[in-house]
Amino acid sequence: MKTFKNYIYNSLYQFLNTVLPLITAPYVSRVLHPEGVGINTMASSLAAYFLLFGQLGLVMYGNREVAYTREQEEEKSITFWNVFITRFLTISLSMVVYIMVVEIMNIPNKDIYILYSLNFVASFLDITWYFMGIENFKVIAVRGIVLRIISIMLIFLLVKTPDDLWVYVLILVGGTVVANISLLTMIRHEVKLVRIKDLQIKKTLVDSIPIFLPGIATSVYLILNKLMIGWIDSTQSAGFFQQADSIIKIVVNLTTSLSSVLLPKIANNYKNDEKEKTIEILKQSTSVSSVLAVGAMFGILGVANLFVPLFFGELFIPSVPILMVESIMIVAITWNAIVGWQFLMPTQRTNILTISVIIGAITNFILNIPLIIFWGPTGAAWASVFSELATFIYMFVKTRHILDYKELFEGTYKYVIAGILMAIIIMLEPVTQSFSPLLKLVIKIVIGIFVYVALLVALKPPIIKYLVHVYNLFRRQR
């Protein structure tokens, strides 16, 4: 039950973390235009690259190590300060290098790039990894609700013209800084001060590198696409890609939110040599995540043509094929998260994870150049899809003797059947042909959800059994 509640809280947190661009996207797209969205995309992507090196693998490392030591107060406090101080040092160094590069290079719209240096401040103040390690997701979610709502209100109130791009960026990054400061105030009773001689900064740095490698390889091709589109094609094309990608990220954050919840639990089980519990958790996680991912993929394929011009405006119609192609990534990324971040990472098999995502990064880089040249941002979307598939194939090959994939993905074909039929039905026009675009979209979404759920009930995949089990647990606690 605690895991289920944490999943709800973390899903809410991840949703709020990415829902800001979604809620404000129709407004921002029309106010800033593709050019402004593209400038923001290029600046945020460059800052993300430098921040990536500053963070190392310390978020996942901190999450896992706190999970290992959460029953020992002294060890937990030492772990916290080791990770926090190490992150402060590495991210500060990365921020200095980033600002120097921006100042030296002749970059247009330099003020926007400088504003994004606040992301580095927000990052070293971020201690969500600690609360994830002790499996307290409620405090993260509650804090996120309040601060995201404030940010949304500020964007609608203050961002009025294309010249307000700097205001938009300041609200985004400044809001994150404030959110992370508020979280810091909540650990004064959780963590004790420790002696300097008890700290092991060097060891923390060295131990985080194996976790850093898969993280950087994954992020390389997630960020690289946008930069390469801007360099090879145009800033506007980067804007088209960004808007489609923002929708995919929101969905992916929901379908993979179990990874953050289960990493500390599986790490704790691994430490206590409870293998059967780990496999059972993975089976349930795969069912829940897969049913959401497959449904979302076919749902997006069914409404993309209607959703994009209505949501982002007619200027962003080129985002339609990008969104449709990238929807395939939802399933691939979700399965990669299950095998990689829910199993390989907490059970200290990071070498397999590292090689798999490096293969994905190399695949992405090799494919990006020709595909962007010939098909622009849609080509970059295909490169991302093939990269995620390459990552999963390698992990499957290396773990097929460790994990029973037939058991793990039992009933997944039923989700696919339900998804295909749902997509076909919502693509049909007769019922909604005379309605306004907004009403048509709402009706299609409602029909799609109803059809998908009804087909799942009829097909009876494993997820139905798990949902009935959760429902019974709730009834017992009432």
Side-chain angles (χ1 to χ4, degrees):
M1 182 53 66
K2 181 180 179 182
T3 300
F4 177 75
K5 288 181 178 178
N6 280 334
Y7 171 62
I8 297 300
Y9 283 129
N10 193 48
S11 295
L12 180 61
Y13 169 68
Q14 296 295 347
F15 177 74
L16 289 169
N17 234 6
T18 50
V19 80
L20 174 57
L22 178 60
I23 291 177
T24 58
Y27 178 75
V28 170
S29 297
R30 289 165 173 81
V31 171
L32 300 183
H33 304 155
E35 185 68 22
V37 174
I39 292 168
N40 179 63
T41 300
M42 295 292 288
S44 62
S45 298
L46 186 63
Y49 251 115
F50 282 85
L51 182 57
L52 183 64
F53 287 92
Q55 288 180 325
L56 295 177
L58 288 163
V59 172
M60 282 292 181
Y61 175 81
N63 185 341
R64 188 184 72 183
E65 294 303 305
V66 169
Y68 286 158
T69 60
R70 65 190 181 199
E71 284 87 12
Q72 299 89 39
E73 187 176 354
E74 183 71 25
E75 288 298 315
K76 183 182 70 173
S77 295
I78 292 173
T79 297
F80 172 83
W81 288 112
N82 276 332
V83 175
F84 184 81
I85 293 172
T86 305
R87 276 171 55 80
F88 174 78
L89 295 173
T90 56
I91 292 172
S92 296
L93 177 61
S94 182
M95 181 174 69
V96 171
V97 175
Y98 169 76
I99 293 173
M100 288 175 61
V101 169
V102 170
E103 288 293 343
I104 293 170
M105 293 176 64
N106 186 25
I107 300 177
N109 305 289
K110 186 179 292 186
D111 56 332
I112 302 300
Y113 286 81
I114 293 296
L115 269 178
Y116 266 106
S117 63
L118 284 175
N119 263 355
F120 296 83
V121 178
S123 183
F124 67 65
L125 292 174
D126 182 15
I127 56 167
T128 52
W129 49 269
Y130 169 79
F131 288 98
M132 290 177 181
I134 62 173
E135 296 189 68
N136 182 357
F137 289 84
K138 181 178 180 179
V139 67
I140 301 171
V142 171
R143 172 213 62 154
I145 293 173
V146 176
L147 290 158
R148 295 307 177 191
I149 289 174
I150 293 173
S151 296
I152 291 169
M153 292 171 60
L154 288 174
I155 286 174
F156 285 121
L157 287 171
L158 302 177
V159 181
K160 300 294 185 181
T161 71
D163 293 332
D164 292 331
L165 174 58
W166 71 271
V167 179
Y168 174 68
V169 173
L170 184 60
I171 292 171
L172 290 182
V173 296
T176 308
V177 171
V178 173
N180 291 341
I181 290 174
S182 71
L183 200 59
L184 268 174
T185 63
M186 299 178 185
I187 62 161
R188 58 187 184 278
H189 301 305
E190 296 267 350
V191 176
K192 300 189 305 181
L193 292 174
V194 298
R195 295 172 298 183
I196 293 177
K197 68 177 183 179
D198 291 332
L199 297 175
Q200 296 178 303
I201 304 300
K202 183 178 178 180
K203 182 179 184 301
T204 301
L205 192 62
V206 172
D207 289 349
S208 71
I209 290 176
I211 301 175
F212 165 64
L213 294 175
I216 188 174
T218 301
S219 299
V220 158
Y221 63 82
L222 291 178
I223 303 169
L224 188 63
N225 284 339
K226 298 168 189 176
L227 291 174
M228 291 186 74
I229 292 168
W231 294 333
I232 297 174
D233 198 323
S234 68
T235 303
Q236 275 198 350
S237 292
F240 296 141
F241 186 92
Q242 168 63 23
Q243 297 302 64
D245 197 53
S246 67
I247 302 300
I248 299 302
K249 278 185 177 176
I250 290 169
V251 178
V252 165
N253 279 343
L254 291 174
T255 61
T256 62
S257 60
L258 266 177
S259 297
S260 298
V261 173
L262 294 181
L263 191 152
K265 182 170 287 294
I266 292 175
N268 200 260
N269 287 343
Y270 176 74
K271 181 185 176 184
N272 297 320
D273 199 28
E274 296 175 322
K275 296 178 182 178
E276 290 184 5
K277 282 187 178 180
T278 297
I279 297 302
E280 186 59 30
I281 289 172
L282 282 174
K283 283 171 59 181
Q284 295 180 15
S285 170
T286 303
S287 290
V288 173
S289 298
S290 294
V291 74
L292 293 173
V294 173
M297 178 183 74
F298 285 108
I300 288 174
L301 285 171
V303 302
N305 279 307
L306 183 61
F307 175 83
V308 170
L310 178 64
F311 202 73
F312 297 119
E314 295 292 331
L315 291 175
F316 284 88
I317 285 179
S319 295
V320 172
I322 303 170
L323 181 60
M324 295 180 77
V325 172
E326 279 209 310
S327 68
I328 304 169
M329 282 174 47
I330 296 171
V331 175
I333 292 175
T334 301
W335 288 352
N336 285 339
I338 292 168
V339 180
W341 301 104
Q342 291 181 31
F343 179 69
L344 297 176
M345 178 63 71
T347 58
Q348 297 186 353
R349 293 180 171 91
T350 51
N351 59 321
I352 298 175
L353 180 58
T354 300
I355 296 172
S356 69
V357 292
I358 288 174
I359 289 173
I362 293 172
T363 302
N364 183 261
F365 182 78
I366 292 173
L367 293 178
N368 253 339
I369 297 173
L371 292 182
I372 291 175
I373 290 173
F374 287 105
W375 291 293
T378 305
W382 276 115
S384 296
V385 170
F386 290 128
S387 300
E388 292 293 341
L389 291 175
T391 299
F392 181 77
I393 289 170
Y394 180 82
M395 285 195 291
F396 168 77
V397 170
K398 299 300 290 186
T399 60
R400 67 188 187 281
H401 301 304
I402 307 172
L403 293 173
D404 186 345
Y405 278 89
K406 185 177 180 180
E407 182 182 15
L408 202 62
F409 289 94
E410 179 188 0
T412 302
Y413 72 94
K414 295 180 179 179
Y415 309 148
V416 175
I417 292 172
I420 291 172
L421 292 174
M422 172 190 66
I424 292 172
I425 290 172
I426 62 178
M427 283 179 181
L428 299 176
E429 291 288 340
V431 178
T432 60
Q433 196 167 14
S434 61
F435 297 149
S436 68
L438 178 59
L439 183 57
K440 188 187 296 186
L441 178 64
V442 172
I443 291 173
K444 283 178 177 286
I445 291 173
V446 172
I447 291 175
I449 293 173
F450 176 79
V451 169
Y452 190 57
V453 172
L455 288 169
L456 289 177
V457 172
L459 293 170
K460 296 180 180 179
I463 185 67
I464 301 299
K465 179 179 68 175
Y466 295 138
L467 292 177
V468 170
H469 175 66
V470 171
Y471 173 72
N472 290 334
L473 286 177
F474 267 114
R475 288 190 62 185
R476 287 177 202 153
Q477 290 192 0
R478 289 179 61 181

